[in-house]
Amino acid sequence: MKKISDELQFDMTRSGFGRGLVELGKANKDVVVLSADLSESTRIDWFRKEFPDRFFSFGVAEQDMISTAAGFALSGKIAYACTFGVFAAGRAWDQVRVSVDYMNLNVRIIGTHAGISVGEDGYTHQALEEITLMRVLPNMTVLVPCDFVEAKHATIKSAEWKGPIYMRLGRNKSPIITDENDPFEIGKGVLLKDGGDITIVACGQMVYEALKAAEYLSKDKIDARVINIHTIKPVDESILIKAAKETGAIVTAEEHSLHGGLGSVVSEVTSRNHPVPVKMIGMTECGQTGSPQELFKCYNLMAEDITKAARAALKMKK
Amino acid sequence: MERPDANKLKTQAKELRKTILKMLANAGSGHTGGSLSLVEILLSLYFYKMKYDPRKPDWDMRDRLVLSKGHGCSALYSVLAEAGYFPKEELMTFRKFGTRLQGHPQLGLPGIEASTGSLGQGLSIANGMALTAKMEKKNSRVYCIMGDGELNEGQVWEAVMTAAHYDLDNLCGIVDNNKLQIDGWCKDVMNMAPLGDKWKSFGWNVIECDGHVFKEIMNSLDKAQGAKGKPTVILAHTVKGKGVSFIENQARWHGIAPKKDELEKALKEIDEKDQ
């Protein structure tokens, strides 16, 4: 892992996916890619250039694309169906449920342009609900890589995984905080910074904000632990229970709805195993047009907001 | 391929209708009308057209059937048992707790290619199978049976575009055109006429036939296989509830099963018919 004081590079998680997919195409002949008219935006045009025979276009028809991916998987393929998060999880949810999840198929649903960080496109395009919508499905694995490198790792690892996967990716360039050599295992949380006073659990771009928040807190002699949960489901319960036991309070951070998102996941795990106060940073209303920075500020998703929540959680600690 | 004996098929159809009615009555619920309309279509597929091996349900080169109108599954189950996929005794577990013969088709029962029942998804799934077969240069064919009411679903027309876009001549759609849906006559609930023209304008080869006349269905299936460069749809004109006078053409028989006295009456009527 890189230190946030380092000179950080920036790139897009969707590009990490696009790079990983090309590697997968070379390594695995069973990988097919499905597009719903967003092949450049979702970065699958890189795969198309290399493997045109395994690339299929469906036009603006997400429902058809998802069920067709199921047909490919039923015939032995590993099908990557790619579009924006809102369309993958929202418009085609019943297709995801019946055609993909209930049949437990090797379909990978890639939702890019997720989160409030989509920015200027406005609220129709800011997917804030897919973690919830996808994790309620019994067989679905849900991945939220935190940066370009992790997205590439997650993509490469996804081919061997059994059963369906939803992967949430962003539009904008965000700081690269993981390293090419960092291990990546689906279902395993990552301890980014140890600490004994409180734990900050984050996913996606909010992991960087969490690391910044931990740095701010350290100035006040508050030693915060930071955990990156790149796999929302199946979640790494042990890393969360350990954090609850050892630090006694948790703050969660996500650019996603608080109804059913990462905060809910962490609360479910802790309340079942070792209840501690959990404060949550995330969305409670629909978004609007603006730059990612403006929107993060408007909806209290900044490192400063995490810091504030951490102080409140500390007060609730027994 | 040699055609099965016409009289034998007719006898099979009679027996199948009786089995379907018994399964539904035994279950106490289910979809009578849209199962009885499927009998001749399914028999033509499984006892004439499709290549498969019930001892090897996962055989790579098999032809596949996706029953997109999953509610017609009592007919499919009884044909699959007849074809040897599983013992006929299992048919009477239909819709009972713990059965492989679920209320709508579910992966896990040999011969079932996809879980269906949420209407409109089957043709897309069939497209994925047909695209894979083309990509792998396998000559297996894919069939997809849809209801005419089901064609209201927008996704069907997305899939119709896809099949034409990819020239899926290894795919054959079959519409069980029984003219009724849950709320009444299709033309009153959502008029989709002229149906054949719609498919044609989307780039499909269209064949119409009487969906209860074996010779017509088998001719249509042969023609579909012979048509190159585009997918074919067979609009099979059928009667909802076919074979039992008091069930035929009644929308209310879409989602109910015969009671004991109705079953007896129906079985008697089928037995007494010439064919």
Side-chain angles (χ1 to χ4, degrees):
Chain A
M1 188 209 122
K2 297 187 170 95
K3 290 204 179 81
I4 60 160
S5 50
D6 292 348
E7 183 94 3
L8 288 174
Q9 289 189 312
F10 287 70
D11 208 335
M12 305 160 185
T13 51
R14 58 185 163 130
S15 297
F17 158 71
R19 294 280 171 235
L21 196 62
V22 173
E23 286 191 29
L24 266 189
K26 287 176 192 149
N28 195 325
K29 293 271 173 287
D30 284 331
V31 168
V32 296
V33 174
L34 292 78
S35 166
D37 204 32
L38 291 167
S39 53
E40 194 194 332
S41 301
T42 57
R43 296 294 185 257
I44 54 178
D45 54 339
W46 298 341
F47 181 96
R48 176 171 55 185
K49 276 188 201 101
E50 301 277 335
F51 313 102
D53 296 345
R54 287 189 272 150
F55 180 94
F56 299 91
S57 159
F58 293 86
V60 195
E62 296 81 10
Q63 302 171 49
D64 181 45
M65 175 178 72
I66 294 292
S67 296
T68 310
F72 275 112
L74 282 164
S75 298
K77 298 291 164 194
I78 307 166
Y80 287 74
C82 315
T83 180
F84 288 177
V86 273
F87 309 130
R91 190 178 200 102
W93 191 82
D94 187 51
Q95 284 74 16
V96 174
R97 174 180 177 267
V98 181
S99 292
V100 174
D101 187 87
Y102 278 25
M103 287 200 270
N104 200 14
L105 299 177
N106 289 329
V107 172
R108 285 77 182 94
I109 299 155
I110 310 300
T112 68
H113 294 61
I116 194 75
S117 57
V118 169
E120 290 80 355
D121 273 352
Y123 73 7
T124 56
H125 283 54
Q126 295 159 349
L128 301 177
E129 304 89 1
E130 344 91 85
I131 292 178
T132 312
L133 288 167
M134 288 294 169
R135 83 180 181 94
V136 294
L137 294 169
N139 294 308
M140 189 67 69
T141 290
V142 181
L143 303 178
V144 187
C146 71
D147 66 13
F148 170 92
V149 172
E150 195 168 79
K152 196 170 87 176
H153 284 152
T155 303
I156 290 165
K157 282 284 166 87
S158 69
E160 304 299 325
W161 189 254
K162 293 281 167 247
I165 296 176
Y166 176 75
M167 183 151 64
R168 182 180 213 239
L169 301 168
R171 179 193 72 89
N172 58 329
K173 285 186 173 177
S174 60
I176 299 175
I177 51 179
T178 65
D179 192 82
E180 284 285 348
N181 300 318
D182 288 346
F184 179 91
E185 200 183 317
I186 292 176
K188 194 141 181 56
V190 182
L191 180 68
L192 291 177
K193 179 192 168 300
D194 209 354
D197 297 329
I198 189 162
T199 303
I200 307 169
V201 180
C203 65
Q205 287 186 38
M206 294 303 285
V207 172
Y208 174 69
E209 298 296 324
L211 286 168
K212 270 207 293 190
E215 202 171 77
Y216 297 157
L217 289 165
S218 71
K219 285 173 191 154
D220 291 341
K221 304 270 183 289
I222 298 169
D223 189 19
R225 182 177 300 193
V226 180
I227 293 170
N228 168 20
I229 292 291
H230 53 61
T231 307
I232 302 282
K233 182 164 168 260
V235 78
D236 184 347
E237 296 207 356
S238 64
I239 200 171
L240 296 175
I241 295 166
K242 190 165 183 276
K245 283 182 180 161
E246 291 175 1
T247 69
I250 295 177
V251 177
T252 63
E254 60 198 304
E255 51 155 339
H256 181 273
S257 169
L258 288 183
H259 303 287
L262 174 68
S264 301
V265 173
V266 171
S267 303
E268 288 162 16
V269 172
T270 53
S271 64
R272 276 201 290 256
N273 296 282
H274 188 88
V276 294
V278 177
K279 287 278 177 191
M280 301 177 197
I281 297 291
M283 295 293 294
T284 52
E285 56 194 305
C286 43
Q288 60 178 306
T289 291
S291 72
Q293 292 76 12
E294 285 168 326
L295 295 171
F296 268 53
K297 196 156 186 240
C298 168
Y299 296 108
N300 306 316
L301 302 171
M302 310 284 284
E304 292 79 2
D305 302 301
I306 299 174
T307 311
K308 219 183 285 172
R311 291 184 205 287
L314 278 170
K315 277 190 196 141
M316 292 167 72
K317 220 170 125 171
K318 279 177 192 157
Chain B
M1 190 182 171
E2 205 182 317
R3 292 196 176 180
D5 176 69
N7 286 327
K8 195 185 160 207
L9 280 174
K10 282 178 186 170
T11 312
Q12 258 184 316
K14 269 173 85 162
E15 289 309 311
L16 218 64
R17 285 204 161 85
K18 284 158 65 182
T19 305
I20 292 166
L21 288 160
K22 286 180 203 164
M23 285 167 69
L24 287 157
N26 185 58
S29 66
H31 298 84
T32 304
S35 297
L36 292 174
S37 59
L38 281 173
V39 169
E40 284 79 10
I41 296 168
L42 286 170
L43 281 174
S44 303
L45 283 167
Y46 280 89
F47 290 91
Y48 170 58
K49 195 75 227 177
M50 284 170 58
K51 62 175 197 295
Y52 61 92
D53 182 351
R55 289 159 306 174
K56 287 186 279 180
D58 296 330
W59 177 42
D60 215 21
M61 300 303 288
R62 72 191 183 278
D63 292 339
R64 291 164 171 82
L65 169 73
V66 177
L67 182 67
S68 192
K69 50 164 288 183
H71 56 277
C73 59
S74 61
L76 179 59
Y77 296 154
S78 57
V79 171
L80 289 176
E82 188 73 21
Y85 276 99
F86 53 85
K88 285 185 186 172
E89 296 79 67
E90 205 171 334
L91 289 173
M92 288 306 145
T93 66
F94 174 53
R95 282 182 165 254
K96 302 285 185 194
F97 180 73
T99 184
R100 299 193 290 179
L101 281 65
Q102 296 279 302
H104 287 82
Q106 188 173 317
L107 277 191
L109 179 69
I112 295 298
E113 299 285 358
S115 301
T116 52
S118 179
L119 295 177
Q121 301 187 26
L123 187 60
S124 302
I125 294 172
N127 282 344
M129 294 170 173
L131 281 165
T132 306
K134 284 241 170 198
M135 187 169 46
E136 295 182 339
K137 303 198 176 5
K138 287 179 181 148
N139 68 355
S140 61
R141 292 179 60 75
V142 185
Y143 296 89
C144 177
I145 302 180
M146 292 155 274
D148 47 0
E150 177 179 11
L151 303 181
N152 298 167
E153 290 280 6
Q155 186 186 355
V156 171
W157 299 96
E158 294 182 359
V160 167
M161 287 189 277
T162 297
H165 179 78
Y166 287 103
D167 307 328
L168 295 181
D169 51 14
N170 57 345
L171 176 91
C172 176
I174 301 168
V175 177
D176 177 13
N177 204 352
N178 63 31
K179 322 285 187 295
L180 278 167
Q181 55 193 107
I182 299 177
D183 272 1
W185 294 102
C186 295
K187 65 178 171 51
D188 300 326
V189 180
M190 180 47 66
N191 187 9
M192 299 197 68
L195 198 50
D197 290 350
K198 284 193 170 65
W199 288 84
K200 244 174 241 154
S201 70
F202 275 74
W204 284 56
N205 180 38
V206 180
I207 302 170
E208 303 207 26
C209 75
D210 184 325
H212 297 302
V213 176
F214 284 109
K215 199 176 160 194
E216 286 199 29
I217 303 167
M218 291 190 283
N219 285 345
S220 304
L221 290 169
D222 288 347
K223 271 192 227 160
Q225 185 157 8
K228 296 296 167 204
K230 52 166 121 170
T232 294
V233 65
I234 299 170
L235 301 181
H237 297 286
T238 55
V239 173
K240 195 154 181 163
K242 174 74 176 176
V244 184
S245 57
F246 62 92
I247 300 177
E248 283 185 3
N249 289 320
Q250 305 281 328
R252 69 177 196 92
W253 275 96
H254 172 90
I256 57 168
K259 295 184 184 72
K260 197 165 173 279
D261 57 323
E262 291 168 329
L263 175 68
E264 277 165 25
K265 210 171 132 194
L267 296 179
K268 191 159 171 271
E269 187 185 321
I270 292 171
D271 275 334
E272 284 169 359
K273 265 191 199 147
D274 298 341
Q275 50 123 21

